[in-house]
């Protein structure tokens, strides 16, 4: 399974922005697992998934404020800054590289799994970390190119 894009300046910038947003949630004392879920299933995350960057409200501060306003729970565990930063970077990079929705990633890659694997994953280049997680969780899908090649071979 190959990524559909390469990590470039835009991918790194978006991933860094999301890492900052996740980190800010810890700074503001928002329970981490509630924040991650609220963010990952939000319409704003979907806008970033679709690279709809001209959409109003897609600055780091505006995204954080919207997600924060949707969380009413005040008690819960805070995940350490570096781990939250990694989670934000990981999820956005996976979305960018494989053109997957944040919601799909959240539903198939539990934050708890990433937290438990943090020590080994954060030491890897992000592309390798994502591939390792996909392999461990047996997340397989075919790119449009792979589907075309398979169809081409069966019809010839």
């Amino acid at each position: 399974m190959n990524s559909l894009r390469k990590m470039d300046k835009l991918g790194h910038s978006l991933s860094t922005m999301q890492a900052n947003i996740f980190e800010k949630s810890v700074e503001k004392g928002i329970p981490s697992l509630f924040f991650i879920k609220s963010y990952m299933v939000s319409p704003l995350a979907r806008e970033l998934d679709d690279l709809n960057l001209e959409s109003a409200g897609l600055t780091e501060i505006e995204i954080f404020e919207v997600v924060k306003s949707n969380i009413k729970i005040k008690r819960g565990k805070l995940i350490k800054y570096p781990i939250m930063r990694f989670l934000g970077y990981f999820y956005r990079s996976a979305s960018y590289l494989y053109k997957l929705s944040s919601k799909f990633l959240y539903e198939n890659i539990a934050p708890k799994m990433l937290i438990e694997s943090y020590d080994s994953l954060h030491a890897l280049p992000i592309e390798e970390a994502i591939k390792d997680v996909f392999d461990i969780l047996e997340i397989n899908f075919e790119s449009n190119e792979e589907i075309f090649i398979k169809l081409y071979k069966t019809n010839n």
Side-chain angles (χ1 to χ4, degrees):
M1 174 175 55
N2 294 322
S3 64
L4 302 176
R5 295 186 178 107
K6 300 285 182 213
M7 185 53 92
D8 55 17
K9 202 178 246 185
L10 176 61
H12 175 69
S13 176
L14 291 171
S15 297
T16 299
M17 179 180 77
Q18 185 162 301
N20 293 341
I21 292 168
F22 275 46
E23 205 173 46
K24 189 171 184 73
S25 72
V26 177
E27 178 185 319
K28 298 297 182 181
I30 300 169
S32 297
L33 295 178
F34 290 108
F35 180 83
I36 294 167
K37 180 179 183 180
S38 183
Y39 178 88
M40 295 296 287
V41 301
S42 74
L44 292 172
R46 184 66 193 172
E47 292 289 328
L48 289 174
D49 298 342
D50 294 339
L51 298 179
N52 188 4
L53 305 178
E54 296 82 34
S55 179
L58 282 184
T59 68
E60 195 174 303
I61 294 168
E62 291 169 320
I63 292 171
F64 176 77
E65 290 299 326
V66 168
V67 175
K68 177 183 153 192
S69 71
N70 290 330
I71 300 173
K72 305 301 180 213
I73 295 170
K74 299 295 181 205
R75 58 188 159 90
K77 183 179 175 188
L78 294 179
I79 297 169
K80 294 178 183 176
Y81 283 97
I83 298 173
M84 277 297 278
R85 183 167 192 80
F86 172 75
L87 293 175
Y89 197 93
F90 179 93
Y91 280 128
R92 179 54 45 212
S93 295
S95 174
Y96 183 79
L97 292 172
Y98 290 91
K99 297 185 180 179
L100 297 170
S101 75
S102 294
K103 183 177 181 181
F104 173 86
L105 292 169
Y106 177 78
E107 290 172 347
N108 289 278
I109 305 172
K112 289 181 181 182
M113 182 271 187
L114 295 176
I115 293 164
E116 291 167 2
S117 304
Y118 170 77
D119 289 335
S120 58
L121 291 175
H122 90 282
L124 298 172
I126 195 64
E127 297 89 345
E128 287 182 39
I130 294 166
K131 283 183 181 180
D132 283 358
V133 170
F134 283 5
D135 288 344
I136 290 166
L137 297 176
E138 299 179 357
I139 297 173
N140 295 307
F141 57 88
E142 292 179 327
S143 68
N144 290 339
E145 180 180 274
E146 291 166 328
I147 293 169
F148 174 79
I149 290 169
K150 190 184 284 186
L151 287 172
Y152 183 78
K153 286 180 179 178
T154 58
N155 290 326
N156 287 322

